[in-house]
Amino acid sequence: MRHYTSIYEPYSWVQGVLDFNTANPSNWDPDVDIKKSPMWRYCGNSLGIWRCPADRSMIVPSFGPLAGQTVPRVRSMSMSIWVGGWMDPARGQYDADCSGPAWRVYKKMTDMVDPGPAKTWVFLDEREDKINYGNFFTDMMGYPDVSATWRFHFDMPGYYHHRACGFSFADGHAEIKRWMDARTMPPIQSGGNWSSAVYLASPRNPDIFWLQERSTRMK
């Protein structure tokens, strides 16, 4: 049996990685990652807020008390990579390497000077076949006006709410964003059977521009 480790980035809001491996307890056991999150104390013991009810992804654990049962995976929520960043072990600093070091990583509220808390999203519902780590990469390539280079960086948003996705913002408000481009909503791949390609080109996709506008700005 493959042994999984929960520690991917020591200061992440949630550890673990989701996949469809039946030997990975991060998929089904909230005690492994969720209840160890620094956010858990603010959740009122509610596991339900970590998963969109419309996320139908399931897993059949291969060991433990739930072995052989079909159970829901525990999380559909992801945090923007630009809020907190991701530790680069080689350099010992927080960044978001998908777009280079020129872009702001917001580590505290006072960092959010542009575009500001009301226009900086923090959490979204990620689609079940793309979610993995606790972060969501919005690739800033081509922002704001080189639309021919716009692309997704593996992560893609959910569209569970009638072609729309739920977002929460740094100032506390929430929005439901209806997607405009069909390329933002390719069919769900059962079991997460995606290719290993990191980038998915989507030139002139207005949905990517919407994400970029509400993610970060150059330093």
Side-chain angles (χ1 to χ4, degrees):
M1 181 179 69
R2 178 179 176 183
H3 294 284
Y4 281 80
T5 177
S6 291
I7 303 301
Y8 289 89
E9 197 286 291
Y11 303 107
S12 174
W13 76 286
V14 67
Q15 297 293 332
V17 60
L18 296 190
D19 53 24
F20 287 91
N21 191 307
T22 61
N24 176 12
S26 289
N27 287 315
W28 72 81
D29 187 352
D31 292 332
V32 172
D33 302 307
I34 289 179
K35 292 185 180 181
K36 296 176 182 177
S37 165
M39 299 285 193
W40 179 245
R41 70 185 70 179
Y42 307 109
C43 294
N45 292 318
S46 174
L47 290 170
I49 64 175
W50 292 71
R51 175 186 169 97
C52 175
D55 178 351
R56 304 299 185 189
S57 62
M58 309 294 280
I59 195 79
V60 181
S62 61
F63 67 93
L66 298 175
Q69 301 180 45
T70 302
V71 297
R73 293 197 303 172
V74 294
R75 178 171 60 85
S76 63
M77 302 301 297
S78 290
M79 180 183 282
S80 172
I81 190 68
W82 301 108
V83 179
W86 190 253
M87 177 67 82
D88 181 337
R91 295 199 300 272
Q93 65 187 45
Y94 294 92
D95 54 22
D97 283 336
C98 69
S99 302
W103 301 91
R104 298 177 188 269
V105 174
Y106 305 113
K107 292 178 281 189
K108 52 185 183 294
M109 283 292 288
T110 54
D111 290 342
M112 293 183 175
V113 295
D114 188 10
K119 292 192 175 180
T120 303
W121 73 268
V122 180
F123 291 104
L124 60 56
D125 296 320
E126 188 167 355
R127 51 186 289 151
E128 64 201 58
D129 55 349
K130 285 290 196 173
I131 193 168
N132 41 49
Y133 301 100
N135 58 47
F136 183 100
F137 279 87
T138 298
D139 198 314
M140 299 302 293
M141 173 72 73
Y143 177 83
D145 54 5
V146 188
S147 62
T149 64
W150 292 349
R151 61 189 185 180
F152 290 104
H153 183 284
F154 189 83
D155 294 321
M156 298 183 73
Y159 56 94
Y160 298 116
H161 306 283
H162 304 288
R163 296 171 56 95
C165 181
F167 288 82
S168 63
F169 285 74
D171 71 337
H173 87 276
E175 295 183 17
I176 297 293
K177 166 59 180 171
R178 183 174 175 83
W179 303 123
M180 307 299 293
D181 194 308
R183 292 174 294 173
T184 309
M185 302 168 286
I188 296 290
Q189 302 294 302
S190 178
N193 295 321
W194 285 89
S195 74
S196 59
V198 174
Y199 298 106
L200 178 62
S202 194
R204 291 169 288 280
N205 184 336
D207 299 329
I208 290 180
F209 181 76
W210 189 93
L211 287 164
Q212 292 175 330
E213 275 280 275
R214 292 156 181 82
S215 293
T216 186
R217 293 290 187 273
M218 280 194 167
K219 297 174 182 176

